[in-house]
Amino acid sequence: MLRLVVIFLLIALVSGILGFTGISIVSVEIARTVFTIAVVLFIVSLVVHALRK
């Protein structure tokens, strides 16, 4: 999942440099959403692991 975040951030960076601001904004929002989902899943995984012990 974090690989997707990096990919979308690179797309946003390149499109921002080339002047495609619409694509850049969408790519940043997608990267932010995927990153948030990854962090939430990580925290849930930690909680479940701690409860099993």
Side-chain angles (χ1 to χ4, degrees), residues 6-24:
V6 172
I7 290 171
F8 280 115
L9 286 176
L10 287 175
I11 290 172
L13 180 65
V14 170
S15 63
I17 290 172
L18 295 176
F20 300 112
T21 55
I23 296 172
S24 179

Side-chain angles (χ1 to χ4, degrees), residues 27-44:
S27 296
V28 168
E29 289 301 319
I30 291 172
R32 185 180 300 155
T33 304
V34 173
F35 180 74
T36 304
I37 292 170
V39 169
V40 168
L41 289 176
F42 177 70
I43 292 171
V44 168

